[in-house]
Amino acid sequence: MREDDGPEAGGEEEAEPEICDLCGAVLSDSTEWYALVRDSSAIHAVESKFDGKRMLVGCSREHLAELAEQYKRRPFVDAELWAGKIARVLRRHPEGVSEEDLARQSGLTHEQIQRGVMWQNTEAQRWLEQHRQQEDDGTDGDQ
């Protein structure tokens, strides 16, 4: 075995510093405040038990409270959550998947799948219309 083949061979990436989700300040261990909030847009990459939950990080109790308040005001949309669950399964099967396998792997009913797909299509249409309008107005949406 070569010296650079072991666990200290630099294969591990350095952890990125935590930043406040509100102001972007870099956090130290003594300034980290965390909260878990409901968020229908939060879909875990692998574990469905974490879907619909978002971890917030704040640099102070006040910033964390403001972030939590923002998420309390955001509606929890079941169809948005279901669309995310569907997307996770489809990413694992770029060649396609049967509706039965989609239901089994996503944990959704056929009705939930239909509603999730309808939600995704509606949001995609809304996005296209908004960007077409911005192009017609000569704006790029960042203003």
PDB file of all heavy atoms in Angstrom, residues 78-83 85-86 99 102-103 106-119:
ATOM      1  N   ASP A  78     -49.258  20.191  -0.111  1.00  0.00           N
ATOM      2  CA  ASP A  78     -49.039  18.747  -0.248  1.00  0.00           C
ATOM      3  C   ASP A  78     -48.611  18.362  -1.656  1.00  0.00           C
ATOM      4  O   ASP A  78     -47.686  17.562  -1.834  1.00  0.00           O
ATOM      5  CB  ASP A  78     -50.304  17.974   0.131  1.00  0.00           C
ATOM      6  CG  ASP A  78     -50.586  18.005   1.625  1.00  0.00           C
ATOM      7  OD1 ASP A  78     -49.619  18.068   2.419  1.00  0.00           O
ATOM      8  OD2 ASP A  78     -51.772  17.966   1.997  1.00  0.00           O
ATOM      9  N   ALA A  79     -49.254  18.926  -2.676  1.00  0.00           N
ATOM     10  CA  ALA A  79     -48.926  18.578  -4.060  1.00  0.00           C
ATOM     11  C   ALA A  79     -47.486  18.940  -4.404  1.00  0.00           C
ATOM     12  O   ALA A  79     -46.840  18.246  -5.199  1.00  0.00           O
ATOM     13  CB  ALA A  79     -49.906  19.248  -5.023  1.00  0.00           C
ATOM     14  N   GLU A  80     -46.955  20.008  -3.816  1.00  0.00           N
ATOM     15  CA  GLU A  80     -45.545  20.381  -4.025  1.00  0.00           C
ATOM     16  C   GLU A  80     -44.629  19.309  -3.440  1.00  0.00           C
ATOM     17  O   GLU A  80     -43.643  18.901  -4.064  1.00  0.00           O
ATOM     18  CB  GLU A  80     -45.262  21.724  -3.370  1.00  0.00           C
ATOM     19  CG  GLU A  80     -43.828  22.185  -3.514  1.00  0.00           C
ATOM     20  CD  GLU A  80     -43.572  23.518  -2.845  1.00  0.00           C
ATOM     21  OE1 GLU A  80     -44.228  23.822  -1.824  1.00  0.00           O
ATOM     22  OE2 GLU A  80     -42.703  24.258  -3.348  1.00  0.00           O
ATOM     23  N   LEU A  81     -44.961  18.837  -2.250  1.00  0.00           N
ATOM     24  CA  LEU A  81     -44.194  17.765  -1.610  1.00  0.00           C
ATOM     25  C   LEU A  81     -44.239  16.500  -2.477  1.00  0.00           C
ATOM     26  O   LEU A  81     -43.214  15.866  -2.712  1.00  0.00           O
ATOM     27  CB  LEU A  81     -44.751  17.482  -0.222  1.00  0.00           C
ATOM     28  CG  LEU A  81     -44.059  16.389   0.580  1.00  0.00           C
ATOM     29  CD1 LEU A  81     -42.673  16.847   1.017  1.00  0.00           C
ATOM     30  CD2 LEU A  81     -44.901  16.010   1.785  1.00  0.00           C
ATOM     31  N   TRP A  82     -45.420  16.165  -2.958  1.00  0.00           N
ATOM     32  CA  TRP A  82     -45.563  14.962  -3.778  1.00  0.00           C
ATOM     33  C   TRP A  82     -44.783  15.088  -5.082  1.00  0.00           C
ATOM     34  O   TRP A  82     -44.164  14.122  -5.538  1.00  0.00           O
ATOM     35  CB  TRP A  82     -47.036  14.688  -4.061  1.00  0.00           C
ATOM     36  CG  TRP A  82     -47.839  14.480  -2.812  1.00  0.00           C
ATOM     37  CD1 TRP A  82     -47.386  14.032  -1.593  1.00  0.00           C
ATOM     38  CD2 TRP A  82     -49.234  14.736  -2.638  1.00  0.00           C
ATOM     39  NE1 TRP A  82     -48.423  13.992  -0.690  1.00  0.00           N
ATOM     40  CE2 TRP A  82     -49.562  14.411  -1.293  1.00  0.00           C
ATOM     41  CE3 TRP A  82     -50.238  15.200  -3.480  1.00  0.00           C
ATOM     42  CZ2 TRP A  82     -50.857  14.536  -0.793  1.00  0.00           C
ATOM     43  CZ3 TRP A  82     -51.532  15.330  -2.978  1.00  0.00           C
ATOM     44  CH2 TRP A  82     -51.820  14.997  -1.650  1.00  0.00           C
ATOM     45  N   ALA A  83     -44.783  16.273  -5.685  1.00  0.00           N
ATOM     46  CA  ALA A  83     -44.009  16.494  -6.912  1.00  0.00           C
ATOM     47  C   ALA A  83     -42.523  16.258  -6.652  1.00  0.00           C
ATOM     48  O   ALA A  83     -41.815  15.671  -7.479  1.00  0.00           O
ATOM     49  CB  ALA A  83     -44.252  17.902  -7.448  1.00  0.00           C
ATOM     50  N   LYS A  85     -41.230  14.271  -4.332  1.00  0.00           N
ATOM     51  CA  LYS A  85     -41.026  12.831  -4.140  1.00  0.00           C
ATOM     52  C   LYS A  85     -40.982  12.115  -5.489  1.00  0.00           C
ATOM     53  O   LYS A  85     -40.166  11.211  -5.704  1.00  0.00           O
ATOM     54  CB  LYS A  85     -42.146  12.241  -3.272  1.00  0.00           C
ATOM     55  CG  LYS A  85     -42.065  12.662  -1.811  1.00  0.00           C
ATOM     56  CD  LYS A  85     -43.262  12.118  -1.036  1.00  0.00           C
ATOM     57  CE  LYS A  85     -43.151  12.367   0.440  1.00  0.00           C
ATOM     58  NZ  LYS A  85     -42.218  11.470   1.113  1.00  0.00           N
ATOM     59  N   ILE A  86     -41.855  12.521  -6.399  1.00  0.00           N
ATOM     60  CA  ILE A  86     -41.872  11.943  -7.750  1.00  0.00           C
ATOM     61  C   ILE A  86     -40.553  12.235  -8.457  1.00  0.00           C
ATOM     62  O   ILE A  86     -39.939  11.348  -9.064  1.00  0.00           O
ATOM     63  CB  ILE A  86     -43.063  12.498  -8.548  1.00  0.00           C
ATOM     64  CG1 ILE A  86     -44.385  12.002  -7.946  1.00  0.00           C
ATOM     65  CG2 ILE A  86     -42.954  12.129 -10.020  1.00  0.00           C
ATOM     66  CD1 ILE A  86     -45.605  12.775  -8.410  1.00  0.00           C
ATOM     67  N   GLU A  99     -45.873   3.259 -13.462  1.00  0.00           N
ATOM     68  CA  GLU A  99     -46.649   3.973 -12.446  1.00  0.00           C
ATOM     69  C   GLU A  99     -46.707   3.170 -11.153  1.00  0.00           C
ATOM     70  O   GLU A  99     -46.670   3.746 -10.066  1.00  0.00           O
ATOM     71  CB  GLU A  99     -48.056   4.266 -12.954  1.00  0.00           C
ATOM     72  CG  GLU A  99     -48.795   5.214 -12.028  1.00  0.00           C
ATOM     73  CD  GLU A  99     -50.115   5.705 -12.583  1.00  0.00           C
ATOM     74  OE1 GLU A  99     -50.348   5.597 -13.789  1.00  0.00           O
ATOM     75  OE2 GLU A  99     -50.912   6.212 -11.768  1.00  0.00           O
ATOM     76  N   LEU A 102     -43.388   3.655  -9.499  1.00  0.00           N
ATOM     77  CA  LEU A 102     -43.330   5.031  -9.011  1.00  0.00           C
ATOM     78  C   LEU A 102     -44.107   5.163  -7.704  1.00  0.00           C
ATOM     79  O   LEU A 102     -43.617   5.752  -6.741  1.00  0.00           O
ATOM     80  CB  LEU A 102     -43.884   5.993 -10.062  1.00  0.00           C
ATOM     81  CG  LEU A 102     -43.958   7.467  -9.675  1.00  0.00           C
ATOM     82  CD1 LEU A 102     -42.586   8.016  -9.319  1.00  0.00           C
ATOM     83  CD2 LEU A 102     -44.586   8.266 -10.812  1.00  0.00           C
ATOM     84  N   ALA A 103     -45.283   4.579  -7.652  1.00  0.00           N
ATOM     85  CA  ALA A 103     -46.088   4.633  -6.430  1.00  0.00           C
ATOM     86  C   ALA A 103     -45.368   3.926  -5.281  1.00  0.00           C
ATOM     87  O   ALA A 103     -45.292   4.449  -4.164  1.00  0.00           O
ATOM     88  CB  ALA A 103     -47.460   4.005  -6.685  1.00  0.00           C
ATOM     89  N   SER A 106     -42.089   5.942  -4.287  1.00  0.00           N
ATOM     90  CA  SER A 106     -42.339   7.282  -3.740  1.00  0.00           C
ATOM     91  C   SER A 106     -43.176   7.226  -2.472  1.00  0.00           C
ATOM     92  O   SER A 106     -43.200   8.186  -1.697  1.00  0.00           O
ATOM     93  CB  SER A 106     -43.051   8.160  -4.779  1.00  0.00           C
ATOM     94  OG  SER A 106     -44.364   7.665  -5.025  1.00  0.00           O
ATOM     95  N   GLY A 107     -43.889   6.112  -2.282  1.00  0.00           N
ATOM     96  CA  GLY A 107     -44.782   6.003  -1.135  1.00  0.00           C
ATOM     97  C   GLY A 107     -46.084   6.760  -1.331  1.00  0.00           C
ATOM     98  O   GLY A 107     -46.812   7.009  -0.372  1.00  0.00           O
ATOM     99  N   LEU A 108     -46.384   7.130  -2.573  1.00  0.00           N
ATOM    100  CA  LEU A 108     -47.581   7.908  -2.872  1.00  0.00           C
ATOM    101  C   LEU A 108     -48.665   7.030  -3.490  1.00  0.00           C
ATOM    102  O   LEU A 108     -48.374   6.021  -4.115  1.00  0.00           O
ATOM    103  CB  LEU A 108     -47.241   9.036  -3.858  1.00  0.00           C
ATOM    104  CG  LEU A 108     -46.191  10.046  -3.404  1.00  0.00           C
ATOM    105  CD1 LEU A 108     -45.852  11.010  -4.542  1.00  0.00           C
ATOM    106  CD2 LEU A 108     -46.665  10.801  -2.180  1.00  0.00           C
ATOM    107  N   THR A 109     -49.904   7.481  -3.330  1.00  0.00           N
ATOM    108  CA  THR A 109     -51.022   6.822  -4.006  1.00  0.00           C
ATOM    109  C   THR A 109     -51.056   7.307  -5.452  1.00  0.00           C
ATOM    110  O   THR A 109     -50.419   8.316  -5.807  1.00  0.00           O
ATOM    111  CB  THR A 109     -52.359   7.162  -3.329  1.00  0.00           C
ATOM    112  OG1 THR A 109     -52.629   8.559  -3.521  1.00  0.00           O
ATOM    113  CG2 THR A 109     -52.343   6.812  -1.838  1.00  0.00           C
ATOM    114  N   HIS A 110     -51.853   6.628  -6.281  1.00  0.00           N
ATOM    115  CA  HIS A 110     -51.975   7.057  -7.676  1.00  0.00           C
ATOM    116  C   HIS A 110     -52.606   8.447  -7.753  1.00  0.00           C
ATOM    117  O   HIS A 110     -52.206   9.272  -8.584  1.00  0.00           O
ATOM    118  CB  HIS A 110     -52.775   6.034  -8.484  1.00  0.00           C
ATOM    119  CG  HIS A 110     -52.054   4.728  -8.618  1.00  0.00           C
ATOM    120  ND1 HIS A 110     -50.967   4.559  -9.437  1.00  0.00           N
ATOM    121  CD2 HIS A 110     -52.259   3.540  -8.011  1.00  0.00           C
ATOM    122  CE1 HIS A 110     -50.517   3.320  -9.335  1.00  0.00           C
ATOM    123  NE2 HIS A 110     -51.289   2.671  -8.472  1.00  0.00           N
ATOM    124  N   GLU A 111     -53.544   8.747  -6.881  1.00  0.00           N
ATOM    125  CA  GLU A 111     -54.156  10.091  -6.855  1.00  0.00           C
ATOM    126  C   GLU A 111     -53.125  11.152  -6.456  1.00  0.00           C
ATOM    127  O   GLU A 111     -53.077  12.230  -7.049  1.00  0.00           O
ATOM    128  CB  GLU A 111     -55.334  10.138  -5.883  1.00  0.00           C
ATOM    129  CG  GLU A 111     -56.006  11.497  -5.854  1.00  0.00           C
ATOM    130  CD  GLU A 111     -57.145  11.591  -4.844  1.00  0.00           C
ATOM    131  OE1 GLU A 111     -57.616  10.553  -4.359  1.00  0.00           O
ATOM    132  OE2 GLU A 111     -57.530  12.733  -4.551  1.00  0.00           O
ATOM    133  N   GLN A 112     -52.297  10.854  -5.470  1.00  0.00           N
ATOM    134  CA  GLN A 112     -51.253  11.805  -5.066  1.00  0.00           C
ATOM    135  C   GLN A 112     -50.260  12.032  -6.197  1.00  0.00           C
ATOM    136  O   GLN A 112     -49.796  13.166  -6.404  1.00  0.00           O
ATOM    137  CB  GLN A 112     -50.534  11.308  -3.819  1.00  0.00           C
ATOM    138  CG  GLN A 112     -51.391  11.373  -2.571  1.00  0.00           C
ATOM    139  CD  GLN A 112     -50.759  10.651  -1.400  1.00  0.00           C
ATOM    140  OE1 GLN A 112     -50.038   9.658  -1.573  1.00  0.00           O
ATOM    141  NE2 GLN A 112     -51.028  11.138  -0.188  1.00  0.00           N
ATOM    142  N   ILE A 113     -49.940  10.986  -6.935  1.00  0.00           N
ATOM    143  CA  ILE A 113     -49.032  11.128  -8.087  1.00  0.00           C
ATOM    144  C   ILE A 113     -49.666  12.049  -9.120  1.00  0.00           C
ATOM    145  O   ILE A 113     -49.016  12.967  -9.639  1.00  0.00           O
ATOM    146  CB  ILE A 113     -48.681   9.753  -8.685  1.00  0.00           C
ATOM    147  CG1 ILE A 113     -47.781   8.990  -7.717  1.00  0.00           C
ATOM    148  CG2 ILE A 113     -48.015   9.913 -10.054  1.00  0.00           C
ATOM    149  CD1 ILE A 113     -47.545   7.541  -8.087  1.00  0.00           C
ATOM    150  N   GLN A 114     -50.946  11.834  -9.421  1.00  0.00           N
ATOM    151  CA  GLN A 114     -51.620  12.691 -10.405  1.00  0.00           C
ATOM    152  C   GLN A 114     -51.629  14.150  -9.951  1.00  0.00           C
ATOM    153  O   GLN A 114     -51.342  15.053 -10.736  1.00  0.00           O
ATOM    154  CB  GLN A 114     -53.057  12.207 -10.629  1.00  0.00           C
ATOM    155  CG  GLN A 114     -53.133  10.911 -11.378  1.00  0.00           C
ATOM    156  CD  GLN A 114     -54.548  10.363 -11.452  1.00  0.00           C
ATOM    157  OE1 GLN A 114     -55.445  10.780 -10.714  1.00  0.00           O
ATOM    158  NE2 GLN A 114     -54.747   9.420 -12.363  1.00  0.00           N
ATOM    159  N   ARG A 115     -51.921  14.380  -8.688  1.00  0.00           N
ATOM    160  CA  ARG A 115     -51.963  15.750  -8.172  1.00  0.00           C
ATOM    161  C   ARG A 115     -50.573  16.379  -8.142  1.00  0.00           C
ATOM    162  O   ARG A 115     -50.407  17.571  -8.421  1.00  0.00           O
ATOM    163  CB  ARG A 115     -52.613  15.772  -6.798  1.00  0.00           C
ATOM    164  CG  ARG A 115     -54.121  15.504  -6.906  1.00  0.00           C
ATOM    165  CD  ARG A 115     -54.836  15.510  -5.594  1.00  0.00           C
ATOM    166  NE  ARG A 115     -54.632  16.749  -4.858  1.00  0.00           N
ATOM    167  CZ  ARG A 115     -54.858  16.862  -3.543  1.00  0.00           C
ATOM    168  NH1 ARG A 115     -55.292  15.820  -2.851  1.00  0.00           N
ATOM    169  NH2 ARG A 115     -54.670  18.012  -2.940  1.00  0.00           N
ATOM    170  N   GLY A 116     -49.542  15.584  -7.819  1.00  0.00           N
ATOM    171  CA  GLY A 116     -48.174  16.088  -7.841  1.00  0.00           C
ATOM    172  C   GLY A 116     -47.729  16.464  -9.244  1.00  0.00           C
ATOM    173  O   GLY A 116     -47.090  17.507  -9.446  1.00  0.00           O
ATOM    174  N   VAL A 117     -48.073  15.651 -10.215  1.00  0.00           N
ATOM    175  CA  VAL A 117     -47.721  15.939 -11.614  1.00  0.00           C
ATOM    176  C   VAL A 117     -48.470  17.184 -12.088  1.00  0.00           C
ATOM    177  O   VAL A 117     -47.884  18.054 -12.749  1.00  0.00           O
ATOM    178  CB  VAL A 117     -48.021  14.724 -12.516  1.00  0.00           C
ATOM    179  CG1 VAL A 117     -47.927  15.093 -13.990  1.00  0.00           C
ATOM    180  CG2 VAL A 117     -47.062  13.581 -12.195  1.00  0.00           C
ATOM    181  N   MET A 118     -49.747  17.288 -11.730  1.00  0.00           N
ATOM    182  CA  MET A 118     -50.515  18.482 -12.113  1.00  0.00           C
ATOM    183  C   MET A 118     -49.915  19.740 -11.490  1.00  0.00           C
ATOM    184  O   MET A 118     -49.812  20.784 -12.152  1.00  0.00           O
ATOM    185  CB  MET A 118     -51.983  18.328 -11.702  1.00  0.00           C
ATOM    186  CG  MET A 118     -52.739  17.373 -12.589  1.00  0.00           C
ATOM    187  SD  MET A 118     -54.497  17.075 -12.209  1.00  0.00           S
ATOM    188  CE  MET A 118     -54.914  18.178 -10.930  1.00  0.00           C
ATOM    189  N   TRP A 119     -49.508  19.652 -10.229  1.00  0.00           N
ATOM    190  CA  TRP A 119     -48.892  20.806  -9.570  1.00  0.00           C
ATOM    191  C   TRP A 119     -47.618  21.205 -10.300  1.00  0.00           C
ATOM    192  O   TRP A 119     -47.391  22.395 -10.567  1.00  0.00           O
ATOM    193  CB  TRP A 119     -48.592  20.492  -8.096  1.00  0.00           C
ATOM    194  CG  TRP A 119     -48.041  21.670  -7.364  1.00  0.00           C
ATOM    195  CD1 TRP A 119     -48.737  22.622  -6.689  1.00  0.00           C
ATOM    196  CD2 TRP A 119     -46.661  22.046  -7.271  1.00  0.00           C
ATOM    197  NE1 TRP A 119     -47.874  23.568  -6.175  1.00  0.00           N
ATOM    198  CE2 TRP A 119     -46.599  23.240  -6.522  1.00  0.00           C
ATOM    199  CE3 TRP A 119     -45.481  21.492  -7.741  1.00  0.00           C
ATOM    200  CZ2 TRP A 119     -45.392  23.877  -6.234  1.00  0.00           C
ATOM    201  CZ3 TRP A 119     -44.284  22.142  -7.465  1.00  0.00           C
ATOM    202  CH2 TRP A 119     -44.248  23.315  -6.708  1.00  0.00           C
TER     203      TRP A 119
END
